[in-house]
Short mmCIF file of all heavy atoms in Angstrom, two decimals:
data_model
loop_
_atom_site.label_atom_id
_atom_site.label_comp_id
_atom_site.label_asym_id
_atom_site.label_seq_id
_atom_site.Cartn_x
_atom_site.Cartn_y
_atom_site.Cartn_z
N MET A 1 30.09 -41.70 -39.75
CA MET A 1 29.72 -40.37 -39.54
C MET A 1 30.28 -39.47 -40.50
O MET A 1 31.14 -38.72 -40.17
CB MET A 1 30.07 -39.93 -38.11
CG MET A 1 29.39 -40.83 -37.02
SD MET A 1 27.57 -40.43 -36.95
CE MET A 1 27.70 -38.94 -36.01
N ALA A 2 29.92 -39.54 -41.72
CA ALA A 2 30.45 -38.77 -42.75
C ALA A 2 29.43 -37.78 -43.34
O ALA A 2 28.90 -38.04 -44.43
CB ALA A 2 31.20 -39.53 -43.87
N GLN A 3 29.03 -36.94 -42.63
CA GLN A 3 27.95 -35.98 -43.02
C GLN A 3 28.60 -34.70 -43.72
O GLN A 3 29.49 -34.07 -43.06
CB GLN A 3 27.15 -35.52 -41.88
CG GLN A 3 26.08 -36.62 -41.50
CD GLN A 3 25.06 -36.14 -40.64
OE1 GLN A 3 25.32 -35.19 -39.82
NE2 GLN A 3 23.93 -36.64 -40.57
N ARG A 4 28.10 -34.45 -44.76
CA ARG A 4 28.59 -33.22 -45.49
C ARG A 4 27.62 -32.11 -45.31
O ARG A 4 26.51 -32.26 -45.80
CB ARG A 4 28.89 -33.62 -46.93
CG ARG A 4 29.98 -32.81 -47.56
CD ARG A 4 30.16 -33.23 -48.97
NE ARG A 4 30.80 -34.49 -49.20
CZ ARG A 4 31.07 -35.04 -50.42
NH1 ARG A 4 30.64 -34.45 -51.44
NH2 ARG A 4 31.67 -36.14 -50.50
N PRO A 5 28.14 -31.06 -44.79
CA PRO A 5 27.14 -29.90 -44.60
C PRO A 5 26.98 -29.18 -45.88
O PRO A 5 27.70 -28.32 -46.30
CB PRO A 5 27.86 -29.00 -43.60
CG PRO A 5 29.30 -29.37 -43.72
CD PRO A 5 29.41 -30.77 -44.24
N SER A 6 25.99 -29.56 -46.62
CA SER A 6 25.64 -29.03 -47.94
C SER A 6 24.86 -27.73 -47.95
O SER A 6 24.86 -27.02 -48.86
CB SER A 6 25.13 -30.06 -48.90
OG SER A 6 23.95 -30.63 -48.39
N PHE A 7 24.25 -27.53 -46.85
CA PHE A 7 23.29 -26.37 -46.78
C PHE A 7 23.76 -25.51 -45.65
O PHE A 7 22.95 -25.03 -44.88
CB PHE A 7 21.83 -26.90 -46.61
CG PHE A 7 21.64 -27.87 -45.58
CD1 PHE A 7 21.29 -27.52 -44.39
CD2 PHE A 7 21.74 -29.24 -45.86
CE1 PHE A 7 21.11 -28.50 -43.32
CE2 PHE A 7 21.55 -30.16 -44.96
CZ PHE A 7 21.19 -29.82 -43.60
N GLU A 8 24.97 -25.31 -45.52
CA GLU A 8 25.54 -24.62 -44.34
C GLU A 8 24.95 -23.23 -44.16
O GLU A 8 24.72 -22.77 -42.99
CB GLU A 8 27.10 -24.50 -44.61
CG GLU A 8 27.77 -23.95 -43.39
CD GLU A 8 29.27 -23.95 -43.65
OE1 GLU A 8 29.77 -24.67 -44.54
OE2 GLU A 8 30.04 -23.20 -43.02
N ASN A 9 24.74 -22.55 -45.31
CA ASN A 9 24.25 -21.18 -45.08
C ASN A 9 22.76 -21.04 -44.75
O ASN A 9 22.36 -19.97 -44.34
CB ASN A 9 24.57 -20.41 -46.35
CG ASN A 9 25.95 -20.30 -46.73
OD1 ASN A 9 26.81 -20.17 -45.82
ND2 ASN A 9 26.37 -20.26 -47.96
N LEU A 10 22.06 -22.15 -44.88
CA LEU A 10 20.63 -22.12 -44.68
C LEU A 10 20.28 -22.59 -43.24
O LEU A 10 19.22 -22.25 -42.79
CB LEU A 10 19.84 -22.96 -45.68
CG LEU A 10 19.96 -22.51 -47.12
CD1 LEU A 10 19.28 -23.47 -48.03
CD2 LEU A 10 19.41 -21.15 -47.28
N GLU A 11 21.18 -23.28 -42.64
CA GLU A 11 20.75 -23.90 -41.38
C GLU A 11 20.76 -22.88 -40.19
O GLU A 11 21.51 -21.91 -40.33
CB GLU A 11 21.81 -25.00 -41.08
CG GLU A 11 23.15 -24.45 -40.73
CD GLU A 11 24.07 -25.54 -40.35
OE1 GLU A 11 23.63 -26.61 -39.80
OE2 GLU A 11 25.33 -25.42 -40.58
N ALA A 12 19.87 -23.16 -39.29
CA ALA A 12 19.82 -22.36 -38.09
C ALA A 12 19.73 -20.88 -38.42
O ALA A 12 20.39 -20.03 -37.82
CB ALA A 12 21.07 -22.59 -37.27
N SER A 13 18.83 -20.51 -39.32
CA SER A 13 18.68 -19.07 -39.54
C SER A 13 17.73 -18.51 -38.54
O SER A 13 17.76 -17.22 -38.29
CB SER A 13 18.08 -18.88 -40.96
OG SER A 13 16.85 -19.63 -41.09
N LEU A 14 16.95 -19.31 -37.81
CA LEU A 14 16.21 -18.85 -36.76
C LEU A 14 16.48 -19.68 -35.51
O LEU A 14 16.36 -20.95 -35.61
CB LEU A 14 14.66 -18.98 -37.13
CG LEU A 14 14.05 -17.89 -37.96
CD1 LEU A 14 12.57 -18.30 -38.19
CD2 LEU A 14 14.13 -16.60 -37.32
N LEU A 15 16.81 -19.06 -34.49
CA LEU A 15 16.94 -19.71 -33.18
C LEU A 15 16.26 -19.06 -32.08
O LEU A 15 16.09 -17.84 -32.08
CB LEU A 15 18.52 -19.84 -32.87
CG LEU A 15 19.31 -20.92 -33.58
CD1 LEU A 15 20.72 -20.87 -33.11
CD2 LEU A 15 18.74 -22.32 -33.32
N TYR A 16 15.93 -19.90 -31.03
CA TYR A 16 15.30 -19.26 -29.93
C TYR A 16 16.29 -18.31 -29.14
O TYR A 16 17.39 -18.80 -28.77
CB TYR A 16 14.77 -20.26 -28.96
CG TYR A 16 14.11 -19.73 -27.71
CD1 TYR A 16 12.83 -19.21 -27.78
CD2 TYR A 16 14.75 -19.68 -26.55
CE1 TYR A 16 12.21 -18.66 -26.69
CE2 TYR A 16 14.18 -19.14 -25.47
CZ TYR A 16 12.87 -18.60 -25.51
OH TYR A 16 12.30 -18.11 -24.41
N CYS A 17 15.99 -17.13 -28.93
CA CYS A 17 16.78 -16.16 -28.23
C CYS A 17 16.29 -16.07 -26.84
O CYS A 17 15.15 -15.61 -26.65
CB CYS A 17 16.77 -14.88 -28.95
SG CYS A 17 17.76 -13.64 -28.07
N PRO A 18 17.03 -16.29 -25.79
CA PRO A 18 16.59 -16.14 -24.45
C PRO A 18 16.34 -14.76 -24.04
O PRO A 18 15.46 -14.52 -23.11
CB PRO A 18 17.76 -16.83 -23.57
CG PRO A 18 18.95 -16.78 -24.49
CD PRO A 18 18.46 -16.87 -25.92
N GLN A 19 16.94 -13.83 -24.68
CA GLN A 19 16.83 -12.38 -24.42
C GLN A 19 15.46 -11.88 -24.98
O GLN A 19 14.64 -11.24 -24.33
CB GLN A 19 18.00 -11.63 -24.97
CG GLN A 19 18.32 -10.36 -24.21
CD GLN A 19 18.95 -10.53 -22.90
OE1 GLN A 19 19.46 -11.60 -22.47
NE2 GLN A 19 18.80 -9.54 -22.05
N CYS A 20 15.25 -12.23 -26.25
CA CYS A 20 14.07 -11.75 -26.94
C CYS A 20 12.91 -12.61 -26.62
O CYS A 20 11.70 -12.30 -26.93
CB CYS A 20 14.33 -11.71 -28.43
SG CYS A 20 15.70 -10.66 -28.94
N ARG A 21 13.22 -13.77 -26.14
CA ARG A 21 12.17 -14.78 -25.81
C ARG A 21 11.35 -15.26 -26.95
O ARG A 21 10.08 -15.45 -26.86
CB ARG A 21 11.23 -14.29 -24.63
CG ARG A 21 11.97 -14.13 -23.38
CD ARG A 21 11.20 -13.55 -22.34
NE ARG A 21 11.93 -13.36 -21.09
CZ ARG A 21 11.32 -12.81 -19.94
NH1 ARG A 21 10.15 -12.38 -19.97
NH2 ARG A 21 12.20 -12.62 -19.02
N LYS A 22 11.93 -15.35 -28.05
CA LYS A 22 11.24 -15.92 -29.25
C LYS A 22 12.33 -16.21 -30.24
O LYS A 22 13.55 -15.93 -30.07
CB LYS A 22 10.24 -15.05 -29.90
CG LYS A 22 10.78 -13.73 -30.30
CD LYS A 22 9.68 -12.90 -30.96
CE LYS A 22 10.20 -11.48 -31.46
NZ LYS A 22 9.23 -10.76 -32.12
N ALA A 23 11.94 -16.98 -31.27
CA ALA A 23 12.93 -17.40 -32.41
C ALA A 23 13.30 -16.19 -33.07
O ALA A 23 12.42 -15.41 -33.65
CB ALA A 23 12.29 -18.37 -33.23
N MET A 24 14.60 -15.93 -33.25
CA MET A 24 15.05 -14.82 -33.94
C MET A 24 16.09 -15.15 -34.98
O MET A 24 16.73 -16.15 -34.85
CB MET A 24 15.75 -13.86 -32.89
CG MET A 24 14.85 -13.30 -31.77
SD MET A 24 13.61 -12.24 -32.37
CE MET A 24 14.60 -10.75 -32.73
N PRO A 25 16.29 -14.29 -35.98
CA PRO A 25 17.22 -14.53 -36.95
C PRO A 25 18.64 -14.42 -36.32
O PRO A 25 18.84 -13.53 -35.42
CB PRO A 25 17.08 -13.41 -37.95
CG PRO A 25 15.86 -12.66 -37.62
CD PRO A 25 15.39 -13.07 -36.30
N VAL A 26 19.47 -15.34 -36.67
CA VAL A 26 20.78 -15.40 -35.99
C VAL A 26 21.90 -15.22 -36.98
O VAL A 26 21.64 -15.46 -38.18
CB VAL A 26 21.04 -16.59 -35.23
CG1 VAL A 26 20.14 -16.68 -33.93
CG2 VAL A 26 20.78 -17.83 -36.01
N ARG A 27 23.02 -14.87 -36.51
CA ARG A 27 24.21 -14.71 -37.36
C ARG A 27 25.23 -15.68 -36.89
O ARG A 27 25.45 -15.87 -35.69
CB ARG A 27 24.69 -13.28 -37.16
CG ARG A 27 25.73 -12.90 -38.21
CD ARG A 27 26.00 -11.45 -38.14
NE ARG A 27 26.44 -11.04 -36.80
CZ ARG A 27 26.67 -9.81 -36.38
NH1 ARG A 27 26.45 -8.81 -37.19
NH2 ARG A 27 27.18 -9.51 -35.18
N LYS A 28 25.76 -16.37 -37.79
CA LYS A 28 26.82 -17.44 -37.52
C LYS A 28 28.19 -16.72 -37.44
O LYS A 28 28.53 -16.00 -38.32
CB LYS A 28 26.81 -18.41 -38.59
CG LYS A 28 27.61 -19.68 -38.26
CD LYS A 28 27.43 -20.59 -39.46
CE LYS A 28 28.19 -21.80 -39.35
NZ LYS A 28 28.11 -22.77 -40.42
N LYS A 29 28.88 -16.99 -36.32
CA LYS A 29 30.17 -16.30 -36.18
C LYS A 29 31.18 -17.39 -35.70
O LYS A 29 30.99 -18.15 -34.85
CB LYS A 29 30.01 -15.32 -35.05
CG LYS A 29 31.34 -14.63 -34.71
CD LYS A 29 31.10 -13.63 -33.49
CE LYS A 29 32.34 -13.33 -32.83
NZ LYS A 29 32.24 -12.85 -31.49
N LEU A 30 32.31 -17.48 -36.37
CA LEU A 30 33.34 -18.43 -36.06
C LEU A 30 33.98 -17.88 -34.75
O LEU A 30 34.44 -16.85 -34.59
CB LEU A 30 34.40 -18.39 -37.11
CG LEU A 30 35.54 -19.36 -37.02
CD1 LEU A 30 35.17 -20.80 -36.84
CD2 LEU A 30 36.57 -19.20 -38.09
N LEU A 31 33.94 -18.83 -33.81
CA LEU A 31 34.45 -18.49 -32.43
C LEU A 31 35.86 -19.00 -32.20
O LEU A 31 36.76 -18.23 -31.80
CB LEU A 31 33.48 -19.11 -31.43
CG LEU A 31 33.43 -18.51 -30.08
CD1 LEU A 31 32.93 -17.06 -30.13
CD2 LEU A 31 32.57 -19.26 -29.17
N LEU A 32 36.05 -20.30 -32.49
CA LEU A 32 37.38 -20.93 -32.18
C LEU A 32 37.64 -21.92 -33.28
O LEU A 32 36.77 -22.58 -33.80
CB LEU A 32 37.31 -21.65 -30.81
CG LEU A 32 37.47 -20.84 -29.56
CD1 LEU A 32 37.14 -21.78 -28.41
CD2 LEU A 32 38.87 -20.35 -29.39
N ILE A 33 38.87 -22.07 -33.51
CA ILE A 33 39.35 -23.27 -34.36
C ILE A 33 39.95 -24.28 -33.49
O ILE A 33 41.02 -24.05 -32.87
CB ILE A 33 40.24 -22.69 -35.42
CG1 ILE A 33 39.49 -21.72 -36.38
CG2 ILE A 33 40.75 -23.91 -36.23
CD1 ILE A 33 40.46 -21.12 -37.37
N LEU A 34 39.26 -25.39 -33.41
CA LEU A 34 39.74 -26.46 -32.47
C LEU A 34 40.28 -27.61 -33.41
O LEU A 34 39.91 -27.74 -34.58
CB LEU A 34 38.58 -26.96 -31.62
CG LEU A 34 37.85 -25.92 -30.72
CD1 LEU A 34 36.60 -26.45 -30.21
CD2 LEU A 34 38.83 -25.51 -29.62
N PRO A 35 40.98 -28.53 -32.61
CA PRO A 35 41.49 -29.65 -33.43
C PRO A 35 40.33 -30.54 -33.92
O PRO A 35 40.51 -31.13 -34.99
CB PRO A 35 42.39 -30.41 -32.44
CG PRO A 35 42.70 -29.39 -31.33
CD PRO A 35 41.52 -28.41 -31.34
N GLU A 36 39.27 -30.58 -33.25
CA GLU A 36 38.16 -31.42 -33.74
C GLU A 36 37.27 -30.68 -34.66
O GLU A 36 36.34 -31.26 -35.18
CB GLU A 36 37.41 -32.00 -32.54
CG GLU A 36 36.71 -30.86 -31.66
CD GLU A 36 37.55 -30.52 -30.48
OE1 GLU A 36 38.80 -30.46 -30.62
OE2 GLU A 36 37.01 -30.29 -29.41
N GLY A 37 37.42 -29.42 -34.87
CA GLY A 37 36.62 -28.72 -35.79
C GLY A 37 36.48 -27.21 -35.46
O GLY A 37 37.23 -26.76 -34.62
N ASN A 38 35.65 -26.59 -36.14
CA ASN A 38 35.46 -25.13 -36.03
C ASN A 38 34.25 -24.86 -35.12
O ASN A 38 33.24 -25.42 -35.35
CB ASN A 38 35.30 -24.37 -37.33
CG ASN A 38 36.51 -24.48 -38.27
OD1 ASN A 38 37.70 -24.75 -37.78
ND2 ASN A 38 36.28 -24.42 -39.52
N LYS A 39 34.54 -24.11 -34.04
CA LYS A 39 33.44 -23.82 -33.20
C LYS A 39 32.75 -22.50 -33.67
O LYS A 39 33.34 -21.47 -33.64
CB LYS A 39 33.90 -23.65 -31.77
CG LYS A 39 32.82 -23.46 -30.75
CD LYS A 39 33.26 -23.58 -29.30
CE LYS A 39 32.17 -23.51 -28.33
NZ LYS A 39 32.63 -23.56 -26.91
N PHE A 40 31.45 -22.62 -33.80
CA PHE A 40 30.66 -21.51 -34.32
C PHE A 40 29.72 -21.06 -33.21
O PHE A 40 29.23 -21.87 -32.43
CB PHE A 40 29.81 -21.78 -35.61
CG PHE A 40 30.69 -21.92 -36.78
CD1 PHE A 40 31.17 -23.18 -37.19
CD2 PHE A 40 31.01 -20.78 -37.51
CE1 PHE A 40 31.99 -23.31 -38.27
CE2 PHE A 40 31.84 -20.93 -38.61
CZ PHE A 40 32.26 -22.15 -39.02
N GLU A 41 29.41 -19.79 -33.14
CA GLU A 41 28.43 -19.21 -32.25
C GLU A 41 27.32 -18.61 -33.08
O GLU A 41 27.64 -17.91 -34.03
CB GLU A 41 29.13 -18.19 -31.34
CG GLU A 41 28.44 -17.81 -30.09
CD GLU A 41 29.27 -16.77 -29.35
OE1 GLU A 41 29.72 -15.85 -30.06
OE2 GLU A 41 29.45 -16.93 -28.21
N TYR A 42 26.09 -18.67 -32.57
CA TYR A 42 25.05 -18.10 -33.22
C TYR A 42 24.48 -16.95 -32.42
O TYR A 42 24.13 -17.12 -31.24
CB TYR A 42 23.80 -19.15 -33.37
CG TYR A 42 24.17 -20.18 -34.45
CD1 TYR A 42 24.59 -21.41 -33.96
CD2 TYR A 42 24.12 -19.98 -35.82
CE1 TYR A 42 24.97 -22.46 -34.90
CE2 TYR A 42 24.45 -20.92 -36.70
CZ TYR A 42 24.89 -22.17 -36.23
OH TYR A 42 25.21 -23.12 -37.17
N LEU A 43 24.56 -15.77 -33.01
CA LEU A 43 24.22 -14.56 -32.28
C LEU A 43 22.89 -14.01 -32.77
O LEU A 43 22.68 -13.94 -34.07
CB LEU A 43 25.27 -13.55 -32.45
CG LEU A 43 26.71 -13.78 -32.00
CD1 LEU A 43 27.68 -12.71 -32.31
CD2 LEU A 43 26.76 -14.15 -30.53
N CYS A 44 22.05 -13.61 -31.92
CA CYS A 44 20.78 -12.99 -32.33
C CYS A 44 21.11 -11.64 -33.04
O CYS A 44 21.98 -10.87 -32.52
CB CYS A 44 20.00 -12.71 -31.03
SG CYS A 44 18.51 -11.70 -31.34
N THR A 45 20.53 -11.45 -34.18
CA THR A 45 20.88 -10.20 -34.94
C THR A 45 20.28 -8.96 -34.28
O THR A 45 20.77 -7.83 -34.60
CB THR A 45 20.33 -10.38 -36.39
OG1 THR A 45 19.00 -10.59 -36.34
CG2 THR A 45 21.05 -11.38 -37.09
N THR A 46 19.34 -9.13 -33.37
CA THR A 46 18.80 -7.98 -32.74
C THR A 46 19.46 -7.55 -31.39
O THR A 46 19.84 -6.36 -31.23
CB THR A 46 17.30 -8.31 -32.40
OG1 THR A 46 16.61 -8.62 -33.58
CG2 THR A 46 16.59 -7.03 -31.75
N CYS A 47 19.68 -8.51 -30.55
CA CYS A 47 20.33 -8.13 -29.25
C CYS A 47 21.71 -8.66 -29.08
O CYS A 47 22.37 -8.46 -28.03
CB CYS A 47 19.40 -8.57 -28.08
SG CYS A 47 19.38 -10.43 -28.00
N LEU A 48 22.16 -9.46 -30.06
CA LEU A 48 23.47 -9.94 -30.10
C LEU A 48 23.81 -10.96 -28.98
O LEU A 48 24.94 -11.19 -28.52
CB LEU A 48 24.64 -8.86 -30.10
CG LEU A 48 24.57 -7.88 -31.25
CD1 LEU A 48 25.59 -6.84 -31.14
CD2 LEU A 48 24.65 -8.66 -32.56
N SER A 49 22.72 -11.51 -28.35
CA SER A 49 22.91 -12.58 -27.38
C SER A 49 23.37 -13.86 -28.08
O SER A 49 22.95 -14.04 -29.20
CB SER A 49 21.62 -12.87 -26.58
OG SER A 49 21.28 -11.84 -25.78
N THR A 50 24.00 -14.70 -27.40
CA THR A 50 24.38 -16.05 -27.92
C THR A 50 23.18 -16.95 -27.84
O THR A 50 22.55 -17.15 -26.79
CB THR A 50 25.48 -16.62 -27.18
OG1 THR A 50 26.62 -15.70 -27.19
CG2 THR A 50 25.89 -17.97 -27.72
N CYS A 51 22.69 -17.35 -28.97
CA CYS A 51 21.52 -18.27 -29.05
C CYS A 51 21.88 -19.74 -29.18
O CYS A 51 21.10 -20.59 -28.94
CB CYS A 51 20.65 -17.87 -30.24
SG CYS A 51 20.04 -16.23 -30.17
N GLY A 52 23.16 -20.01 -29.48
CA GLY A 52 23.64 -21.39 -29.55
C GLY A 52 24.92 -21.48 -30.14
O GLY A 52 25.48 -20.54 -30.61
N GLU A 53 25.54 -22.59 -29.95
CA GLU A 53 26.88 -22.83 -30.59
C GLU A 53 27.02 -24.27 -30.99
O GLU A 53 26.20 -25.09 -30.56
CB GLU A 53 27.93 -22.45 -29.54
CG GLU A 53 27.67 -22.98 -28.24
CD GLU A 53 28.79 -22.50 -27.20
OE1 GLU A 53 28.93 -21.31 -27.09
OE2 GLU A 53 29.43 -23.39 -26.62
N LYS A 54 27.91 -24.44 -31.87
CA LYS A 54 28.10 -25.73 -32.47
C LYS A 54 29.52 -25.98 -32.93
O LYS A 54 30.20 -24.96 -33.31
CB LYS A 54 27.09 -26.14 -33.47
CG LYS A 54 27.48 -25.90 -34.90
CD LYS A 54 26.30 -26.32 -35.78
CE LYS A 54 26.98 -26.90 -36.98
NZ LYS A 54 26.02 -27.09 -38.16
N ILE A 55 29.90 -27.12 -32.93
CA ILE A 55 31.27 -27.48 -33.58
C ILE A 55 31.04 -28.20 -34.83
O ILE A 55 30.36 -29.21 -34.95
CB ILE A 55 32.17 -28.38 -32.55
CG1 ILE A 55 32.45 -27.49 -31.38
CG2 ILE A 55 33.32 -28.89 -33.27
CD1 ILE A 55 33.24 -28.22 -30.29
N GLU A 56 31.63 -27.59 -35.79
CA GLU A 56 31.49 -28.19 -37.16
C GLU A 56 32.75 -28.89 -37.53
O GLU A 56 33.83 -28.20 -37.56
CB GLU A 56 31.16 -27.02 -38.15
CG GLU A 56 29.99 -27.24 -39.04
CD GLU A 56 29.67 -25.98 -39.76
OE1 GLU A 56 30.58 -25.49 -40.51
OE2 GLU A 56 28.49 -25.57 -39.71
N GLN A 57 32.64 -30.11 -37.90
CA GLN A 57 33.87 -30.81 -38.22
C GLN A 57 34.32 -30.44 -39.66
O GLN A 57 33.49 -30.51 -40.51
CB GLN A 57 33.72 -32.29 -38.12
CG GLN A 57 34.17 -32.77 -36.72
CD GLN A 57 33.22 -33.78 -36.20
OE1 GLN A 57 32.71 -34.62 -36.89
NE2 GLN A 57 32.95 -33.78 -34.97
N ASP A 58 35.53 -30.16 -39.81
CA ASP A 58 36.07 -29.77 -41.13
C ASP A 58 36.64 -31.03 -41.72
O ASP A 58 37.71 -31.46 -41.37
CB ASP A 58 37.08 -28.69 -40.95
CG ASP A 58 37.59 -28.13 -42.23
OD1 ASP A 58 36.98 -28.51 -43.20
OD2 ASP A 58 38.61 -27.40 -42.16
N GLU A 59 35.95 -31.54 -42.74
CA GLU A 59 36.41 -32.75 -43.38
C GLU A 59 37.28 -32.39 -44.51
O GLU A 59 37.81 -33.29 -45.13
CB GLU A 59 35.24 -33.61 -43.78
CG GLU A 59 34.45 -34.18 -42.71
CD GLU A 59 33.30 -35.02 -43.26
OE1 GLU A 59 33.49 -35.63 -44.19
OE2 GLU A 59 32.22 -34.88 -42.63
N GLN A 60 37.29 -31.20 -44.90
CA GLN A 60 38.05 -30.85 -46.07
C GLN A 60 39.24 -29.97 -45.66
O GLN A 60 39.47 -28.87 -46.10
CB GLN A 60 37.25 -30.04 -47.02
CG GLN A 60 36.02 -30.93 -47.60
CD GLN A 60 35.07 -30.05 -48.36
OE1 GLN A 60 34.91 -28.88 -48.11
NE2 GLN A 60 34.28 -30.74 -49.19
N LYS A 61 40.09 -30.49 -44.71
CA LYS A 61 41.23 -29.87 -44.37
C LYS A 61 42.25 -29.83 -45.40
O LYS A 61 42.55 -30.87 -46.00
CB LYS A 61 41.80 -30.52 -43.08
CG LYS A 61 41.13 -30.12 -41.81
CD LYS A 61 41.82 -30.80 -40.62
CE LYS A 61 40.89 -30.52 -39.36
NZ LYS A 61 41.21 -31.53 -38.33
N PRO A 62 42.75 -28.69 -45.65
CA PRO A 62 43.72 -28.66 -46.63
C PRO A 62 45.05 -29.30 -46.19
O PRO A 62 45.45 -29.18 -45.08
CB PRO A 62 44.04 -27.13 -46.87
CG PRO A 62 43.55 -26.50 -45.67
CD PRO A 62 42.49 -27.40 -45.03
N ARG A 63 45.61 -30.14 -47.03
CA ARG A 63 46.77 -30.85 -46.54
C ARG A 63 48.01 -29.91 -46.92
O ARG A 63 48.15 -29.34 -47.95
CB ARG A 63 46.99 -32.08 -47.43
CG ARG A 63 45.91 -33.13 -46.92
CD ARG A 63 46.30 -34.49 -47.50
NE ARG A 63 45.14 -35.31 -47.33
CZ ARG A 63 45.07 -36.58 -47.82
NH1 ARG A 63 46.02 -36.98 -48.66
NH2 ARG A 63 44.11 -37.43 -47.52
N ILE A 64 48.85 -29.89 -45.98
CA ILE A 64 50.03 -29.05 -46.12
C ILE A 64 51.27 -29.98 -46.51
O ILE A 64 51.59 -30.77 -45.56
CB ILE A 64 50.28 -28.14 -44.86
CG1 ILE A 64 49.16 -27.27 -44.62
CG2 ILE A 64 51.65 -27.41 -45.12
CD1 ILE A 64 49.21 -26.55 -43.28
N LEU A 65 51.69 -29.86 -47.58
CA LEU A 65 52.81 -30.69 -48.03
C LEU A 65 54.05 -29.83 -48.11
O LEU A 65 54.08 -28.77 -48.59
CB LEU A 65 52.54 -31.34 -49.36
CG LEU A 65 51.30 -32.16 -49.48
CD1 LEU A 65 50.94 -32.58 -50.88
CD2 LEU A 65 51.47 -33.52 -48.62
N MET A 66 55.00 -30.35 -47.47
CA MET A 66 56.24 -29.56 -47.45
C MET A 66 57.45 -30.28 -48.12
O MET A 66 57.44 -31.45 -48.11
CB MET A 66 56.71 -29.24 -45.95
CG MET A 66 55.63 -28.49 -45.28
SD MET A 66 56.11 -27.67 -43.81
CE MET A 66 57.32 -26.54 -44.38
ZN1 ZN B 116 17.76 -11.55 -29.15
#
């Protein structure tokens, strides 16, 4: 499972919004940083409802060497 998100900025530009009741342009917002990845939330740009969320695994974690 080594998928590289190469089109991160293009994905999920339209999502179904339960409030607007149609597919709406969404904004990706970083919600939480979890050990298993970064949790993003997709917000409708019109009504700011949450249209979806996803956890993106960060495969390029910077290594901290001390
Ligand atoms: Zn909406």
